[in-house]
Amino acid sequence: MSSPKPVRRITAPQITKKKGGEPIVSLTSYHAHTAAIVDRYADFILVGDSLGMVMHGMESTVGVSLDLMIMHGKAVVRGTSRALVVVDMPFGTYEESPSEAFRNAARVMKETQCGAVKLEGGTRMAETIRFLTERGVPVMAHIGLTPQSVHVMGGFKTQGRQESDWDQHFEDARAVTEAGAFAVVLEGMVEPLAAQVTKEIPIPTIGIGASAECDGQILVLEDMLGLNPTPPKFVKVYGDLGGQIEAAVKAYADDVKDRSFPGEGQVYR
Ligand SMILES: Nc1nc(=O)c2c([nH]1)NC[C@@H]1CN(c3ccc(C(=O)N[C@@H](CCC(=O)O)C(=O)O)cc3)CN21
Ligand SMILES: CC(C)C(=O)C(=O)O
Ligand SMILES: [Mg+2]
């Protein structure tokens, strides 16, 4: 008997090759069972540090630890077989030096078996991106609105509203490309800026709040499922999971109170 052929996961270089082709599909996931569903449709799945806010009720992503990212990264890798899994490097684990970044990124890859990491920053992180890619860690970059800098920016603010800021974003996009990033997330960027960055660089741009001009799109899964009561404006809500969960929980509570649950099928006799 021959065993079934294992499905080969999509690789970072395969994502890079999608530049200019059919748009790249991506969502975040932090959880094995939801990741298994996303796995059937996404080119890559991001275990984002937004999990601190979405799963753990934090006010920003600043408090997320490497251990927490690794825990959720393991769950998502276990639940999937096809999509590339990318894990966010959390605040404070990669900025100080390339060697610190490598030590922590290698831990993430060894312990989760993910295929790549993502880190925030353009020009300022270029040296680190090169250091990691040259040593076997594929890096997705993330520029524009970088949530880990929320306390410097003074909030989650859309980028590129003033054309005088555009040069810095172009420089960031070029720097991460030259440093070897296999793709770059453009977050919270006005459409004409995202369009021009996408045109200018040879690696795919993955937009979140950055228009349909990007080479691909990503959203936070819970936002698009309707589980976040106050999603950012750029989110299109495709489901009503919040409403469905509420209806199910209410029905259960009613059943328990009138003793219709557990019923015939749910009892050991
Ligand atoms: N649930 C969730 N979804 C996300 O997309 C997300 C996170 N969490 N956490 C990390 C970052 C933070 N993000 C955010 C959060 C809020 C806005 C926001 O409120 N934006 C304003 C626009 C502000 C402006 O125009 O300057 C908005 O009204 O949508 C944007 C990005 C995106 N990321
Ligand atoms: C918003 C996406 C790109 C992200 O970095 C996250 O979910 O943490
Ligand atoms: Mg993130």
Side-chain angles (χ1 to χ4, degrees), residues 11 38 62 106 128 146 150 152 169 173 213 222 224 236 258 260 268:
T11 64
V38 175
V62 172
T128 295
T146 48
V150 61
V152 172
H169 295 295
E213 299 283 340
E222 285 75 358
M224 63 85 82
K236 180 172 175 183
D258 70 14
S260 54
Y268 298 109

Side-chain angles (χ1 to χ4, degrees), residues 132-178:
L132 296 190
T133 51
E134 284 177 347
R135 287 162 180 76
V137 179
V139 178
M140 179 175 286
H142 180 160
I143 65 173
L145 194 173
T146 48
Q148 292 173 13
S149 305
V150 61
H151 295 300
V152 172
M153 298 183 298
F156 298 125
K157 302 224 169 99
T158 306
Q159 302 292 302
R161 288 208 188 278
Q162 317 227 312
E163 265 189 65
S164 55
D165 296 338
W166 285 20
D167 277 351
Q168 181 61 54
H169 295 295
F170 290 132
E171 267 179 46
D172 284 341
R174 284 187 212 112
V176 301
T177 303
E178 278 163 30

Side-chain angles (χ1 to χ4, degrees), residues 12-202:
Q14 285 175 316
I15 298 291
T16 304
K17 284 199 203 91
K18 287 180 174 287
K19 175 85 184 183
E22 209 180 54
I24 296 163
V25 177
S26 174
L27 286 164
T28 66
S29 181
Y30 321 124
H31 166 264
H33 289 175
T34 51
I37 299 169
V38 175
D39 193 46
R40 302 200 274 270
Y41 302 94
D43 296 301
F44 74 91
I45 298 176
L46 176 69
V47 183
D49 60 348
S50 56
L51 67 83
M53 299 168 71
V54 175
M55 302 286 286
H56 298 273
M58 298 175 178
E59 270 187 17
S60 79
T61 57
V62 172
V64 174
S65 68
L66 197 65
D67 287 340
L68 195 58
M69 295 308 304
I70 289 172
M71 214 177 288
H72 288 282
K74 282 180 181 173
V76 168
V77 170
R78 286 188 202 115
T80 58
S81 60
R82 188 190 142 273
L84 172 69
V85 176
V86 181
V87 177
D88 259 354
M89 297 297 293
F91 181 66
T93 65
Y94 63 92
E95 301 91 329
E96 194 176 320
S97 65
S99 56
E100 181 209 34
F102 181 77
R103 195 179 322 120
N104 287 324
R107 230 195 105 195
V108 168
M109 293 196 73
K110 287 158 87 93
E111 294 185 26
T112 69
Q113 301 284 297
C114 71
V117 302
K118 178 164 76 59
L119 48 82
E120 294 181 11
T123 313
R124 69 177 191 272
M125 291 313 303
E127 186 192 349
T128 295
I129 293 170
R130 182 180 301 282
F131 194 90
L132 296 190
T133 51
E134 284 177 347
R135 287 162 180 76
V137 179
V139 178
M140 179 175 286
H142 180 160
I143 65 173
L145 194 173
T146 48
Q148 292 173 13
S149 305
V150 61
H151 295 300
V152 172
M153 298 183 298
F156 298 125
K157 302 224 169 99
T158 306
Q159 302 292 302
R161 288 208 188 278
Q162 317 227 312
E163 265 189 65
S164 55
D165 296 338
W166 285 20
D167 277 351
Q168 181 61 54
H169 295 295
F170 290 132
E171 267 179 46
D172 284 341
R174 284 187 212 112
V176 301
T177 303
E178 278 163 30
F182 72 91
V184 57
V185 167
L186 308 184
E187 178 167 350
M189 264 190 194
V190 296
E191 181 173 53
L193 173 58
Q196 217 163 307
V197 168
T198 300
K199 220 173 283 167
E200 236 184 76
I201 60 174

